[in-house]
Amino acid sequence: MTDLNKLTLAEARDKLRAGDVTSVELTQSCLSAIDAAGELNAFVHKTPEIALERAKAADARIAEGDAPDMCGLPIGIKDLFCTKGVPSQAASRILEGFLPEYESTVSQKLQDSGAVMLGKLNMDEFAMGSSNETSVYGNVVNPWRRGNEETPLTPGGSSGGSASAVAADLCLAATGTDTGGSIRQPAAFTGITGIKPTYGRCSRWGVVAFASSLDQAGPMTKDVRDAAIMLEAMCGHDAKDSTSVEMAVPNFEAMLTGDIRGKKIGIPKEYRMDGMPAEIEKLWADGTAMLKAAGAEIVDISLPHTKYALPAYYVIAPAEASSNLARYDGVRYGHRATLAAGDGITEMYEKTRAEGFGHEVQRRVMVGTYVLSAGFYDAYYNRARKVRTLIKKDFEDVFAQGVDAILTPATPSSAFGLGEMNDEDPVQMYLNDVFTVTVNLAGLPGISVPTGLDSQGLPLGLQLIGRPWEEGDLLNTAYALEQASGFVAKPGKWW
């Protein structure tokens, strides 16, 4: 059978159980696709030996008849997850040569469930970026193109490698992380599904930290059913992560009935931004109509503090990053600068960080250090934390009124060209997160579902925001939206 790499997780799982294909065949199909897709620059550390070894073990496990859903399914792992004995660089020069002696909890859970790791995926350096242009490995390229143009487009960020690889069928699914939209925005830009679960649902242990109170891992998949299957394997309590919640993980796939009759879907008026493209407006209106036709009740809601979300996020996230990235000093692991005669420890720190961190990471570390400094702590950081509390309360108030989910656009535009956002004005890039950061600040689950194409033939996504811990219900609403929109478009192969 050819084109096995184009299967969804659910299709591949069923074929494996039926004996129609083997995990080794699936894995070899993906490895061939990866080797032929160098132009996308999605996979940065390939692990074919590990993949084939795990595939053989998975085939044996399936033959014994006691295999979990993810067993034998080839996936990619974002370079932010530490993987034992495999380079884990967070796409940064400062972690060059770092080979962890341990496995992140999420990648270990996937390994335990029999999933096959094909390799590590490109990303923005330390997950800081919305376009995958800050990576030490170079830019990831979106497999989609505008019409017949050859302009290389961004796959979004920071999980750009994961999004590009899934959209181009290099792997059946991939792990991503989301601090301010880094799963949902790239999913929307590449026409795939991405869910950020409730904060604390997936362990953060062994995931290189950016902003600890915002980071959350999640799956990036070809459709909603696959997201449900993979999310279940990734979730669960972890004693090594103090923010991980001890709560049973339901069978998310079993909750996909597509029946949303009587569900209340909120439409927040604050998300109608000035200058929003007409195509995004229409997509949102169409999505609203689809959910209404499926039996949901549409209600207008207000999230009054939304306009303060981006400024609050870009104070809190850099502040936490400045603290988290202080550990990269050139002493214990990773890159160390060559020192001149007479240089002391201060010079070693300065030179190592100047060489090891890219410009965007340096910018955010400096912003973070500034807002945490003695004279500005109250003026910036404490005020941002208070705003965060108000944003969280906005959502709590809406959910208290019986709203089950909130529908918004996922991004303010479709994918833009690499290099089109000017590095001199980082705020333009930060505005990409305008619809997604509130979800991280409030710790809520959010999912991006592809629902249409723009006039240039590029995918557009809608976002659904759910109640805390109710990922199953959120996935079911997303499933109903997916069924109604009937999105099946794929990028034309040019690479």
Side-chain angles (χ1 to χ4, degrees):
M1 231 177 126
T2 54
D3 291 346
L4 293 175
N5 53 306
K6 293 186 176 171
L7 295 172
T8 64
L9 292 176
E11 290 165 348
R13 171 195 63 185
D14 296 346
K15 285 185 184 298
L16 284 168
R17 299 299 174 280
D20 296 341
V21 297
T22 64
S23 177
V24 169
E25 289 168 341
L26 272 173
T27 301
Q28 282 170 332
S29 180
C30 288
L31 291 172
S32 301
I34 292 165
D35 288 340
E39 287 173 83
L40 298 178
N41 198 27
F43 274 89
V44 288
H45 298 294
K46 301 176 191 176
T47 56
E49 296 84 4
I50 292 173
L52 289 167
E53 185 186 316
R54 290 189 190 167
K56 284 174 191 156
D59 281 332
R61 195 168 167 186
I62 291 165
E64 285 166 15
D66 135 49
D69 283 349
M70 287 297 293
C71 191
L73 303 178
I75 60 169
I77 303 288
K78 186 177 178 178
D79 195 40
L80 206 63
F81 294 81
C82 287
T83 42
K84 188 174 180 179
V86 176
S88 304
Q89 268 185 254
S92 180
R93 189 179 175 204
I94 207 153
L95 277 172
E96 212 165 37
F98 175 54
L99 296 174
E101 287 299 315
Y102 52 88
E103 190 80 26
S104 79
T105 298
V106 164
S107 55
Q108 185 66 56
K109 278 180 171 293
L110 288 165
Q111 188 180 327
D112 292 346
S113 72
V116 173
M117 178 175 77
L118 296 162
K120 302 298 284 290
L121 290 156
N122 205 344
M123 54 177 279
D124 277 298
E125 184 183 5
F126 281 105
M128 297 181 195
S130 305
S131 64
N132 223 135
E133 292 176 282
T134 67
S135 168
V136 72
Y137 311 119
N139 302 342
V140 179
V141 180
N142 191 327
W144 290 81
R145 289 262 167 99
R146 292 182 190 134
N148 297 317
E149 269 189 53
E150 290 188 11
T151 311
L153 302 179
T154 175
S158 66
S159 309
S162 301
S164 182
V166 174
D169 294 317
L170 309 187
C171 51
L172 303 197
T175 62
T177 61
D178 193 308
T179 305
S182 286
I183 285 175
R184 291 158 290 151
Q185 183 246 23
F189 276 5
T190 55
I192 66 169
T193 299
I195 180 169
K196 179 204 97 69
T198 311
Y199 182 80
R201 184 60 108 166
C202 286
S203 170
R204 291 183 300 106
W205 194 84
V207 181
V208 177
F210 162 15
S212 303
S213 75
L214 300 162
D215 300 343
Q216 197 62 191
M220 302 183 74
T221 58
K222 296 178 188 181
D223 62 22
V224 173
R225 183 173 298 278
D226 283 7
I229 293 168
M230 188 166 168
L231 182 61
E232 188 183 341
M234 293 171 69
C235 290
H237 179 247
D238 177 17
K240 296 197 289 280
D241 173 6
S242 60
T243 60
S244 164
V245 169
E246 200 158 348
M247 183 183 275
V249 180
N251 180 339
F252 294 126
E253 189 186 6
M255 300 170 85
L256 300 181
T257 61
D259 183 0
I260 56 164
R261 284 172 299 183
K263 294 283 182 191
K264 254 192 191 180
I265 308 293
I267 308 294
K269 63 180 184 187
E270 288 78 9
Y271 281 59
R272 297 192 189 285
M273 304 288 177
D274 290 341
M276 187 194 281
E279 289 179 317
I280 300 282
E281 281 271 17
K282 182 179 182 310
L283 183 84
W284 194 10
D286 290 350
T288 305
M290 287 175 205
L291 292 175
K292 189 173 184 181
E297 181 191 342
I298 306 297
V299 293
D300 287 322
I301 59 167
S302 177
L303 298 165
H305 296 94
T306 296
K307 62 183 171 189
Y308 307 116
L310 265 182
Y313 173 84
Y314 279 103
V315 168
I316 291 167
E320 294 187 15
S322 143
S323 173
N324 277 326
L325 270 57
R327 70 191 71 168
Y328 303 108
D329 51 16
V331 176
R332 285 157 295 185
Y333 48 76
H335 176 75
R336 180 187 292 190
T338 307
L339 303 181
D343 280 352
I345 192 160
T346 304
E347 288 79 11
M348 187 196 76
Y349 286 162
E350 287 172 353
K351 288 182 179 177
T352 296
R353 288 180 175 151
E355 287 177 14
F357 291 142
H359 291 311
E360 182 59 32
V361 173
Q362 291 177 6
R363 180 186 287 134
R364 296 200 198 190
V365 167
M366 288 193 289
V367 167
T369 306
Y370 176 79
V371 299
L372 289 175
S373 59
F376 301 101
Y377 190 89
D378 280 332
Y380 291 106
Y381 185 65
N382 262 346
R383 286 177 81 183
R385 284 171 59 206
K386 288 172 183 167
V387 169
R388 179 181 192 168
T389 304
L390 293 170
I391 289 168
K392 191 167 186 290
K393 187 172 185 309
D394 285 350
F395 282 106
E396 285 167 359
D397 291 347
V398 163
F399 291 134
Q401 292 159 24
V403 168
D404 294 289
I406 297 165
L407 181 73
T408 79
T411 56
S413 69
S414 58
F416 48 89
L418 290 165
E420 281 181 8
M421 290 274 181
N422 191 343
D423 191 45
E424 301 303 308
D425 182 11
V427 174
Q428 278 303 107
M429 186 73 85
Y430 297 166
L431 289 170
N432 264 291
D433 305 331
V434 67
F435 299 127
T436 49
V437 296
T438 50
V439 180
N440 298 79
L441 289 167
L444 299 170
I447 186 168
S448 173
V449 182
T451 45
L453 297 172
D454 72 0
S455 57
Q456 303 175 87
L458 295 178
L460 295 169
L462 286 173
Q463 171 180 240
L464 281 159
I465 304 165
R467 293 164 170 268
W469 315 114
E470 293 190 13
E471 288 86 359
D473 198 48
L474 177 65
L475 282 158
N476 186 46
T477 307
Y479 183 62
L481 181 61
E482 177 185 70
Q483 300 292 99
S485 70
F487 183 92
V488 290
K490 296 287 286 185
K493 192 169 189 294
W494 54 265
W495 58 92

